[in-house]
Amino acid sequence: MSIADRKPESGQSSSPAGRETGQLLELAMGYLYSAALSSAARLGIADHLADGPRTVEELAAATRTDAGHLYRLLRYVATKGVFHEDETGRFHLTPLAQPLRSGVPGSLRDTVMVYTEAPFWEPTGRLHEAVSSGATVFEKQYGTPFYHYVATDPEFGAAFNSSMAAASQAMSNGITRAFDFSQAKTVVDVGGGRGGLLRSVLQHNPHMTGILFDRENVVAEHVLDTPDLAGRWKAEGGDFFVSVPSGADVYLLKHVLASWSDEECVRILRTCRDAMPAHGRLLVANPMIPAGNEPHFGKTIDILMMTVLNGMNRTRAQYEELLKEAGFKIVRFLEPSPQAAVLEGALAG
């Protein structure tokens, strides 16, 4: 048999066009990887591998699953570097799988599971409707805006709030290190969730006091009640479209504006402006989308915003334009990490 007569080995393509076909189909079925990753998180596979590699039979016994099906699941996620199968058939924890462990610093297990829950998963199947209409499909599918749904579904709401807190901790630490809070005495974390950013700021700046401001059901689950912060904080429930606590030196908006339309963002910003003293500073923190075709997490989350929240991730120029329209001038741009870009604003005029 000549070389020309040989068939390509399994997994290989006989032509560039064939390879492109395979790549395109992989992209089209990317939802299968989301489901597989979610399943691995729910089964706690990373926790079972924390003490060392294990066979699929051992993992199946520990997770009470079918060994054959579990092997096929792990073999699939291993193709992306989440877990690794060695030549003896044992699976190892990889650096990419480490955040799937529970109860460890930087854990994203809860976040992975929440992002693959129905309120996120189902609207993405109707992305074409969002693109056609220019509006979120979540409200059409669930009959209520996303944050109203979060507030009225206790189980999903608790999981969502917890997962968002875990996912944003690295960004919070980056902001705390990048901005000089030495001249500030008071800070308000607007839409601050459970208070991860405020906690980080106060822990690194013992001369400061702060207010966590968000919806009542969110601040009720705050993480500020620690001995080192005693007497230096309070949590207030309210609506940042109406008012926010006044008179603070610094106002924080982390991962807030991306959830809203331009018009709603300007309303939030003007509410903050109205509460700020003349010397006050506003810090707007979000991933900011760069130009070009390179992958960026902000571009991924932007699709989620389009289907679920009717918000959007923006470029630096777009955020600057929103601040200027709301009556701010740009003082400084900070980029302490790929996940943390910060615009510092002051009152204009």
Side-chain angles (χ1 to χ4, degrees):
M1 179 184 293
S2 70
I3 294 177
D5 292 329
R6 293 179 184 173
K7 295 181 179 180
E9 295 181 8
S10 176
Q12 293 183 340
S13 171
S14 58
S15 69
R19 287 193 296 272
E20 291 166 359
T21 297
Q23 291 172 359
L24 187 60
L25 290 176
E26 282 278 347
L27 291 172
M29 295 186 289
Y31 61 89
L32 295 175
Y33 192 80
S34 298
L37 188 62
S38 175
S39 297
R42 293 175 192 281
L43 293 171
I45 299 298
D47 290 331
H48 291 296
L49 294 177
D51 294 328
R54 304 179 74 173
T55 66
V56 72
E57 290 78 15
E58 291 171 331
L59 290 170
T63 58
R64 299 182 180 181
T65 55
D66 179 84
H69 279 58
L70 181 61
Y71 174 74
R72 292 159 67 183
L73 172 72
L74 297 181
R75 177 180 62 186
Y76 181 46
V77 296
T79 64
K80 305 289 189 180
V82 179
F83 310 124
H84 171 75
E85 182 186 8
D86 66 23
E87 61 278 1
T88 69
R90 302 167 82 200
F91 283 91
H92 298 244
L93 194 66
T94 61
L96 190 56
Q98 179 70 20
L100 285 179
R101 292 179 60 192
S102 56
V104 298
S107 173
L108 293 175
R109 184 188 177 201
D110 289 348
T111 306
V112 168
M113 291 191 293
V114 164
Y115 273 143
T116 50
E117 288 277 7
F120 286 116
W121 183 282
E122 291 178 346
T124 59
R126 302 170 68 174
L127 174 60
H128 62 287
E129 294 181 28
V131 174
S132 297
S133 67
T136 174
V137 296
F138 183 93
E139 293 182 34
K140 182 177 180 180
Q141 191 159 5
Y142 283 83
T144 187
F146 176 78
Y147 282 117
H148 290 180
Y149 180 87
V150 169
T152 55
D153 186 321
E155 184 176 353
F156 177 76
F160 173 76
N161 292 331
S162 176
S163 69
M164 293 303 100
S168 66
Q169 192 56 54
M171 185 177 185
S172 296
N173 292 335
I175 296 168
T176 300
R177 289 190 296 265
F179 186 77
D180 181 7
F181 289 93
S182 62
Q183 301 303 309
K185 295 181 179 179
T186 56
V187 58
V188 177
D189 193 357
V190 179
R194 297 174 67 191
L197 175 56
L198 180 59
R199 180 179 61 184
S200 179
V201 169
L202 295 181
Q203 286 175 336
H204 287 82
N205 297 277
H207 65 286
M208 294 183 69
T209 59
I211 299 173
L212 174 65
F213 184 80
D214 210 316
R215 299 181 310 279
E216 291 280 1
N217 65 299
V218 176
V219 298
E221 301 177 0
H222 68 78
V223 294
L224 299 171
D225 195 10
T226 59
D228 57 328
L229 300 184
R232 298 173 52 209
W233 61 271
K234 61 180 178 178
E236 292 187 14
D239 182 350
F240 52 42
F241 286 110
V242 177
S243 66
V244 300
S246 63
D249 299 313
V250 178
Y251 286 77
L252 308 173
L253 281 172
K254 178 176 73 68
H255 282 169
V256 172
L257 298 185
S259 298
W260 305 96
S261 68
D262 286 352
E263 294 78 9
E264 290 165 320
C265 286
V266 172
R267 286 177 59 196
I268 296 168
L269 290 167
R270 285 176 176 164
T271 303
C272 293
R273 182 201 61 192
D274 292 343
M276 289 172 57
H279 68 274
R281 290 292 185 268
L282 174 73
L283 302 184
V284 172
N286 270 105
M288 297 188 189
I289 296 178
N293 299 314
E294 293 302 311
H296 189 273
F297 187 60
K299 298 177 183 179
T300 301
I301 293 297
D302 186 48
I303 299 300
L304 190 67
M305 296 295 179
M306 190 190 307
T307 56
V308 175
L309 290 169
N310 208 25
M312 62 183 293
N313 270 347
R314 298 172 172 86
T315 64
R316 173 181 172 181
Q318 288 173 317
Y319 278 116
E320 289 182 349
E321 186 61 32
L322 289 176
L323 265 70
K324 291 175 182 177
E325 184 177 347
F328 289 90
K329 61 182 179 181
I330 308 304
V331 176
R332 188 166 37 164
F333 176 73
L334 304 169
E335 198 167 18
S337 74
Q339 294 78 34
V342 184
L343 281 171
E344 178 184 350
L347 300 183

